[in-house]
Amino acid sequence: TQLLEQSPQFLSIQEGENLTVYCNSSSVFSSLQWYRQEPGEGPVLLVTVVTGGEVKKLKRLTFQFGDARKDSSLHITAAQPGDTGLYLCAGGGSGTYKYIFGTGTRLKVLA
Amino acid sequence: GAGVSQSPSNKVTEKGKDVELRCDPISGHTALYWYRQSLGQGLEFLIYFQGNSAPDKSGLPSDRFSAERTGGSVSTLTIQRTQQEDSAVYLCASSSTWNTQYFGPGTRLTVL
């Protein structure tokens, strides 16, 4: 069974601080996605990474896919209250539409 | 254009009753997914449709859960004889490509 563990589970920080969220598995994934979900809404896709070692940047967010394609990280620079939400990673297998979602990291950025 | 819509947004039911949850995907999206999310946790995969076929039903928790999709569009998730542990947010997503799912706002189900 493929599992994706995220850490930390909860994170509360002050505006302007940096943070990193981790997504780990013992399984290899063909692709890895990161989503942000706000209360009362569905998750919204932030990025998809497909190559081991790949790094993608989205404004203040930096996403990295591990060399072995078993793990990923999300780094936020100078966090803002608007970054508050539930961050979810999701791993996809080759030749399939199915994604396995991680356990989630709930981030709260205080003004 | 319109996104994925789900109805109802909230459903409160009594234990033992049947419920139907509806998902209207983005027009033209061939793939449709159902997930369950308990109290702000990660998403639990339930079922995946490609067109009207469900090649992967592996996530359905029990035979009380069923889903269908008609005309390659609307999907209905049915839960029979609901139990309190069925209480959760049920999310639907649709996709036209392998790497992009668009989620609806979810249906919050509360079983009393």
Side-chain angles (χ1 to χ4, degrees), chain A residues 46-67:
Chain A
L46 297 173
V47 75
T48 301
V49 285
V50 299
T51 305
E54 181 176 2
V55 176
K56 280 192 174 179
K57 292 190 176 182
L58 183 66
K59 297 183 180 178
R60 295 176 293 100
L61 278 60
T62 302
F63 305 87
Q64 184 163 9
F65 201 10
D67 291 342

Side-chain angles (χ1 to χ4, degrees), chain B residues 72-110:
Chain B
S73 180
V74 172
S75 177
T76 302
L77 176 68
T78 301
I79 308 173
Q80 295 179 313
R81 305 180 301 282
T82 52
Q83 303 294 313
Q84 288 183 332
E85 60 262 29
D86 299 334
S87 295
V89 175
Y90 289 81
L91 289 160
C92 173
S94 70
S95 172
S96 62
T97 62
W98 66 272
N99 64 348
T100 305
Q101 295 183 54
Y102 295 88
F103 282 84
T107 293
R108 180 176 296 279
L109 175 66
T110 302

Side-chain angles (χ1 to χ4, degrees), chain A residues 94-106:
Chain A
S94 176
T96 176
Y97 279 69
K98 184 176 177 179
Y99 277 81
I100 303 298
F101 278 79
T103 49
T105 293
R106 185 165 297 282

Side-chain angles (χ1 to χ4, degrees), chain B residues 27-61:
Chain B
S27 178
H29 281 192
T30 56
L32 186 147
Y33 309 76
W34 283 98
Y35 296 89
R36 179 167 71 174
Q37 185 174 35
S38 299
L39 206 56
Q41 299 301 308
L43 276 62
E44 175 189 4
F45 169 82
L46 297 179
I47 188 169
Y48 151 63
F49 286 92
Q50 182 61 31
N52 292 334
S53 301
D56 192 341
K57 304 179 182 180
S58 62
L60 293 177

